[in-house]
Amino acid sequence: EAGVTQSPTHLIKTRGQQATLRCSPISGHTSVYWYQQALGLGLQFLLWYDEGEERNRGNFPPRFSGRQFPNYSSELNVNALELEDSALYLCASSLEGRTHYGYTFGSGTRLTVV
Amino acid sequence: AQRVTQPEKLLSVFKGAPVELKCNYSYSGSPELFWYVQYSRQRLQLLLRHISRESIKGFTADLNKGETSFHLKKPFAQEEDSAMYYCALSGASGGSYIPTFGRGTSLIVHP
């Protein structure tokens, strides 16, 4: 069984540009979560998608957005990139929006804004 | 609001010594609590969850609702336990389950 896959592995962008990160959940998982892991700050919750809808978002500005496709894969878009957006972005998936069994994480996309 | 606190950024022990990684939480309902581990150059992975009352790789964690704690323990640390450990809480807020992680504790086990 394939795990949670994220692409690209690394992404370098210039300040002001837009970044698009992609995530494919484990087969059968309908919920996708996005986290930002910045140095020294741990994991900060960004967005949660389930059944194609945004269910919740963390304390991030609107330039962080995303969507979930019918096959449950997801995109995270970051507009008007700022230097402090440089971080590891992790995607996780779970069954049906409940975290009873915990989350399964991808290996992340390292975004560097220069 | 829910919050997870891991008071130690770094915990350094010698092989064979007992280990306790602290986790305290703030949540008004019945939480679901987890420990995740991230070994060097590997992805973050679930270590254990309180509902299953299991022992994984010699680690155990007991939910203490009175002290609102979920500390991770191992009686004899091994070098391969060196990793970053995150405590996580899943609770309902406004009908949605909002996952919250602590900032993590780096465990270093010296030979």
Side-chain angles (χ1 to χ4, degrees):
Chain A
E1 177 186 88
V4 177
T5 57
Q6 292 187 246
S7 63
T9 306
H10 294 86
L11 191 57
I12 299 175
K13 292 287 186 178
T14 304
R15 190 171 52 183
Q17 284 188 314
Q18 179 195 28
T20 298
L21 290 66
R22 297 179 177 84
C23 171
S24 292
I26 286 178
S27 177
H29 284 190
T30 61
S31 274
V32 171
Y33 308 80
W34 287 96
Y35 286 86
Q36 182 192 68
Q37 189 176 24
L39 197 61
L41 294 180
L43 278 77
Q44 303 294 312
F45 170 65
L46 268 166
L47 290 159
W48 168 26
Y49 291 96
D50 184 63
E51 296 287 357
E53 293 189 14
E54 182 181 302
R55 299 295 186 182
N56 217 319
R57 67 180 293 129
N59 189 26
F60 281 84
R63 56 191 187 83
F64 287 84
S65 65
R67 54 180 172 168
Q68 187 178 34
F69 300 98
N71 65 354
Y72 303 117
S73 66
S74 176
E75 268 184 6
L76 173 68
N77 296 295
V78 188
N79 294 319
L81 284 165
E82 300 178 2
L83 296 178
E84 51 265 35
D85 295 334
S86 295
L88 180 67
Y89 288 83
L90 294 173
C91 172
S93 71
S94 76
L95 284 166
E96 300 173 357
R98 282 299 305 271
T99 56
H100 196 67
Y101 298 99
Y103 322 120
T104 303
F105 281 91
S107 54
T109 293
R110 173 74 62 185
L111 174 63
T112 303
V113 183
V114 298
Chain B
Q2 59 193 52
R3 189 169 61 247
V4 175
T5 303
Q6 294 180 249
E8 303 142 329
K9 279 189 179 180
L10 173 66
L11 186 61
S12 183
V13 301
F14 285 98
K15 177 182 174 182
V19 168
E20 181 179 66
L21 292 92
K22 292 183 169 55
C23 172
N24 293 93
Y25 68 90
S26 173
Y27 183 65
S28 57
S30 293
E32 294 178 355
L33 286 154
F34 307 84
W35 277 98
Y36 285 81
V37 61
Q38 190 168 29
Y39 301 103
S40 179
R41 299 189 187 87
Q42 294 186 29
R43 63 181 64 188
L44 193 61
Q45 58 187 282
L46 178 66
L47 180 62
L48 56 80
R49 46 198 178 116
H50 90 271
I51 56 169
S52 56
R53 299 179 182 273
E54 57 203 344
S55 173
I56 303 293
K57 299 184 179 182
F59 285 98
T60 59
D62 292 318
L63 177 59
N64 186 323
K65 291 188 177 181
E67 296 183 357
T68 60
S69 68
F70 187 57
H71 302 328
L72 183 67
K73 300 177 183 179
K74 185 170 183 176
F76 308 103
Q78 303 299 313
E79 290 179 68
E80 55 266 30
D81 296 329
S82 295
M84 196 74 182
Y85 291 80
Y86 294 92
C87 181
L89 179 154
S90 178
S93 174
S96 298
Y97 286 84
I98 306 172
T100 301
F101 282 75
R103 293 194 173 191
T105 298
S106 177
L107 173 65
I108 299 176
V109 181
H110 301 280

